[in-house]
Amino acid sequence: MPALESHVIVGAGAAGAKAAETLREEGFTGSVLLVGEEPGPPYARPPLSKEVLLGRADPESARLHEESWYRDRDITLMIDTAATALDRREHRVGLSDGSRLRYDRLLLATGSSPRRTRVPGTGLAGVHTLRTIDDARALHGLLSRGDRRVVVVGAGWIGLEAAAAARRYGNRVAVVEAEATPLYGTLGPEAGRIFADLHRGKGVECLFEDGLFAIRGEGGEGEVGHVVTSRGAELPADLVVLAVGGAPRDGLARAAGLRTDDGVVVDSALRTEDPDVFAAGDVARFYHPLYRRHLRVEHWANAIDGGAAAARSMLGRDVVHDRLPYRFTHQYEQAMEFSGRAEPGSYDRVLVRGDISAGSYLVFWLSAGRLTAALSVNTPGATGTLQSLIRSGVPVDPDALTEPRRPLAQLIPS
Ligand SMILES: Cc1cc2nc3c(=O)[nH]c(=O)nc-3n(C[C@H](O)[C@H](O)[C@H](O)COP(=O)(O)OP(=O)(O)OC[C@H]3O[C@@H](n4cnc5c(N)ncnc54)[C@H](O)[C@@H]3O)c2cc1C
C-alpha cells in the first residue's frame, strides 16, 4: 500500500489555516501540518486595527478557530514553531526545535511584516507597529488612556485606521505621510483627498509631502519625546505608530533558491517553479489573468481565497486564482469597501455618486470609459455589482454611473 502523503503549510495565518481546512474539505486523507511561529492558533488581523483598538472586542475573539477545531479535522497545529530552512531536494523543512519535517507538497503562507525604517530613534520605547495580537493589545492599552500625543507615520490603510481609533479616545493625533494625499499609491490623489478631509474633520493634524526624519527621546529614559519630520516640524509625541507598509516574508523561499521578487513568485494556480512548493496570501506574488501581470495583494479576502485555491492546486486540481483585489476598512462612522486597482496611471477619470459630506457615496475609477475600481462608503450590498461591472470590462455611461436613482445592476451587460 502506498504511504499516505504529507502536506506541510508554513505560516499559521489566514491563508495557512484556510489551506489546511480546504485540504480536508477536498478529501485529502494524508497528514496536514500547519506550522506557525506565533504562540496561539491562527487569528484574523483586520479586527486588530478596528474593534480591538477601539476596545469593542477582546483580541482572543479574533481567533479563527479553537485548537480543538484543528484536532477534530486531524490537522496538526504546531504553534510556537518557526520554519528555519527549506531543503527542496530532500523535501524537508527544518524547524526551530531542531527537527525536520518531510513534505510531499509544501505551502508557503508566511505573510508579511511591517516595513521598518532606518531613521534614528525607532528603537525607543513608545514606538509601535501593528501586526499581531500583542501589538494591538499594547496599543489599545495606551490609546484608551485618551491623553496621549500620537504620531502615525504613514497614511495607508493601517495608519489611517490607527489614527481613527486614536482620535476616538480623544488623543491628540498627527499623521506624517510622504505623498500629498493618503493612500496615494492605492487610490491616487482624488479619493485620497476625501480621506484627508475625513481625518482633518475629525481633528487629525495631517503633515503630507513630509517624512520621518528622526524620533527623539525624552528625559534619558529611552522614551519617545518628539518626532522630527523631514520638513523640520517637531511634533511632541508619547506614542509613535510606524505604518509604512508591509514586507513579504519570502526569506525562506529565497534561501531555497525559489524565485522571489518582493514576494514569492507563483503562477495563477499559486505554484512556484518547484512543482511541490506553493505560496498564498500576503507573501505570494501571483500572476493575475485579468491584469496580465503579477500582483502581490495584502488583503484579507486574498489570503482566504488564495489559501483555498492553493490547497486545491496542491491536490492537482485545475485552479485559477483570479479574484479582484478587495479590501474593507472602517474609519470613524464609515464602513468602506474597495475593489479593483486604482493606482496612479491606471485610470483617467474619477467620478462620485452620492454625497461625500453625508458619508454615503461611491467613487468610481475609469480607464478609457471602463470601470477599473470602485470604493463604496456606507453603501451595503454595492460591492458584488461593482465587482461584476469591473470584471465585465464593458464601457459604462458616466451619467448613469453618477445618477443615484439609476440601479447599478442595470449597467452590467446581460
Ligand atoms: C492590523 C491589520 C489590519 C488589517 N485590516 C485589514 C482589513 O480591514 N481588510 C483587509 O482586507 N485586510 C486587512 N489586513 C490585511 C490582512 O489581515 C492580511 O492580508 C492577511 O492577514 C494575510 O494573511 P496571511 O495568512 O497571508 O499572512 P499572516 O496573517 O501574516 O500569517 C502569516 C503567519 O505566518 C507566520 N510565519 C512567518 N514566517 C514563518 C516561519 N518561517 N515559520 C512559521 N511561521 C511563520 C507569521 O508569524 C504569521 O503568523 C490587515 C492587516 C493588519 C496587520
Side-chain angles (χ1 to χ4, degrees):
M1 211 168 70
L4 280 181
E5 291 199 316
S6 176
H7 291 352
V8 173
I9 301 166
V10 176
K18 189 67 191 176
E21 179 181 357
T22 308
L23 284 172
R24 287 297 181 230
E25 279 176 0
E26 293 283 329
F28 177 66
T29 52
S31 61
V32 177
L33 295 102
L34 179 55
V35 181
E37 65 183 9
E38 292 194 65
Y43 56 91
R45 298 184 196 275
L48 301 185
S49 50
K50 306 170 191 67
E51 292 86 346
V52 172
L53 276 197
L54 290 166
R56 293 177 186 156
D58 183 274
E60 287 303 315
S61 68
R63 300 277 177 209
L64 297 177
H65 310 287
E66 307 270 321
E67 287 196 41
S68 57
W69 184 94
Y70 298 90
R71 273 197 304 277
D72 292 347
R73 282 155 188 78
D74 199 15
I75 294 166
T76 307
L77 180 60
M78 304 175 75
I79 54 174
D80 253 333
T81 308
T84 51
L86 165 57
D87 182 337
R88 294 197 286 130
R89 211 163 47 89
E90 297 277 321
H91 277 62
R92 301 222 177 240
V93 178
L95 301 181
S96 48
D97 63 6
S99 63
R100 275 156 56 94
L101 286 178
R102 194 191 66 77
Y103 66 84
D104 290 291
R105 300 270 152 76
L106 174 73
L107 175 63
L108 297 170
T110 44
S112 57
S113 54
R115 277 190 202 277
R116 295 269 160 195
T117 83
R118 289 181 185 279
V119 165
T122 50
L124 289 168
V127 179
H128 295 252
T129 53
L130 179 50
R131 182 82 196 166
T132 65
I133 280 192
D134 287 346
D135 296 340
R137 210 178 257 129
L139 264 178
H140 167 251
L142 295 163
L143 294 178
S144 60
R145 292 175 55 170
D147 61 354
R148 304 287 82 190
R149 296 165 304 173
V150 182
V151 175
V152 177
V153 181
W157 298 113
I158 291 174
L160 294 178
E161 289 169 0
R167 278 302 295 150
R168 278 284 179 147
Y169 290 110
N171 298 289
R172 205 167 125 187
V173 180
V175 174
V176 179
E177 163 60 48
E179 300 290 351
T181 46
L183 292 161
Y184 178 83
T186 311
L187 307 181
E190 299 85 354
R193 280 193 282 273
I194 302 175
F195 281 83
D197 290 345
L198 171 67
H199 283 266
R200 282 202 181 99
K202 296 291 183 184
V204 173
E205 183 184 359
C206 295
L207 293 96
F208 296 154
E209 292 184 289
D210 204 345
L212 179 63
F213 180 72
I215 304 175
R216 301 252 156 88
E218 198 161 67
E221 296 291 318
E223 299 266 344
V224 165
H226 280 90
V227 166
V228 184
T229 74
S230 315
R231 286 172 172 264
E234 290 216 5
L235 306 169
D238 309 299
L239 187 60
V240 176
V241 182
L242 289 179
V244 291
R249 300 191 58 181
D250 57 7
L252 208 54
R254 196 172 330 112
L258 291 166
R259 199 171 143 222
T260 58
D261 174 14
D262 186 42
V264 181
V265 178
V266 287
D267 64 12
S268 58
L270 304 176
R271 297 174 293 216
T272 66
E273 69 269 38
D274 180 327
D276 295 326
V277 184
F278 301 73
D282 282 10
V283 78
R285 179 169 291 281
F286 64 98
Y287 182 80
H288 199 301
L290 189 68
Y291 298 108
R292 296 203 201 100
R293 51 171 286 200
H294 283 82
L295 299 181
R296 198 170 70 74
V297 178
E298 285 187 18
H299 300 336
W300 176 254
N302 175 64
I304 296 294
D305 295 344
R312 285 195 285 272
S313 199
M314 289 163 85
L315 298 175
R317 314 268 150 81
D318 275 340
V319 169
V320 181
H321 178 54
D322 64 352
R323 291 289 181 94
L324 279 187
Y326 164 82
R327 194 193 209 279
F328 50 90
T329 178
H330 293 181
Q331 295 172 34
Y332 309 105
E333 299 79 23
Q334 305 202 352
M336 313 180 180
E337 294 178 72
F338 174 71
S339 301
R341 295 180 63 223
E343 61 266 28
S346 69
Y347 62 88
D348 49 39
R349 199 166 179 195
V350 179
L351 297 171
V352 174
R353 171 194 284 223
D355 183 355
I356 295 174
S357 61
S360 171
Y361 58 94
L362 303 171
V363 183
F364 308 105
W365 286 259
L366 291 98
S367 173
R370 291 165 170 81
L371 190 65
T372 59
L375 175 74
S376 75
V377 180
N378 288 340
T379 316
T383 293
T385 311
L386 291 167
Q387 292 193 348
S388 300
L389 209 47
I390 296 169
R391 276 197 167 278
S392 74
V394 295
V396 282
D397 172 4
D399 293 334
L401 216 45
T402 52
E403 169 50 60
R405 282 166 302 187
R406 184 83 187 267
L408 287 169
Q410 282 183 5
L411 306 179
I412 303 171
S414 43

